Amino acid sequence: MTLQDLWLMIKHYSRWVVLVPIICGVLAGGAGALLGMVNGSVHTAASTLTVIDPTGLVSSTSLANLVNVFAQDQAELESGGDSGVTVKTEVDSSTQSIKFEVAAPSEQASLDVANRLAERTADAAQSALVEQGITYNLLRTFTAA
């Protein structure tokens, strides 16, 4: 095959090389738009809770894993029911943080749930750790006396 033959072949099939991707793009876009109208829109929001122990008594990784238990409980409470809210939690051990990803039918609902999850998780973990600290100090006091 010479270069001239190759050029003639490219020239002959060039409209298909251009038309097929355009047709596929239009069909995929139309299908996506139709699917969005049928299913309704879903809005997502995310919040991050960073875990830090200012006393240095507990390693940040252990503390992040402990707080993740509270995060999972809060996520289950928020995603239950017919509200259309789904929650995904993820622990990032490199930054000792917990990320909440919320999908909800409205933008405001997704923002509210994401912020509420971070606040409730922080409050639950803080309360549990304060209670644990009080118990630890009481035990230490009784054993020292």
Side-chain angles (χ1 to χ4, degrees), residues 18-75:
V18 173
L19 285 177
V20 169
I22 291 173
I23 291 171
C24 289
V26 169
L27 290 175
L34 183 63
L35 187 64
M37 289 190 306
V38 169
N39 290 338
S41 61
V42 175
H43 299 275
T44 59
S47 62
T48 303
L49 179 64
T50 303
V51 179
I52 298 172
D53 179 21
T55 63
L57 297 174
V58 181
S59 74
S60 297
T61 304
S62 297
L63 190 57
N65 290 332
L66 176 66
V67 173
N68 184 40
V69 172
F70 295 106
Q72 296 294 331
D73 291 342
Q74 294 299 323

Side-chain angles (χ1 to χ4, degrees), residues 67-130:
V67 173
N68 184 40
V69 172
F70 295 106
Q72 296 294 331
D73 291 342
Q74 294 299 323
E76 286 179 24
L77 291 174
E78 287 291 341
S79 61
D82 294 332
S83 61
V85 175
T86 57
V87 178
K88 178 183 172 191
T89 61
E90 182 180 325
V91 177
D92 186 358
S93 59
S94 65
T95 61
Q96 284 80 30
S97 62
I98 299 168
K99 183 177 182 180
F100 300 97
E101 293 180 7
V102 178
S106 72
E107 183 178 359
Q108 190 61 41
S110 63
L111 290 171
D112 291 343
V113 170
N115 289 330
R116 187 168 51 240
L117 279 170
E119 290 172 6
R120 286 185 180 171
T121 300
D123 291 343
Q126 186 176 12
S127 297
L129 290 171
V130 166

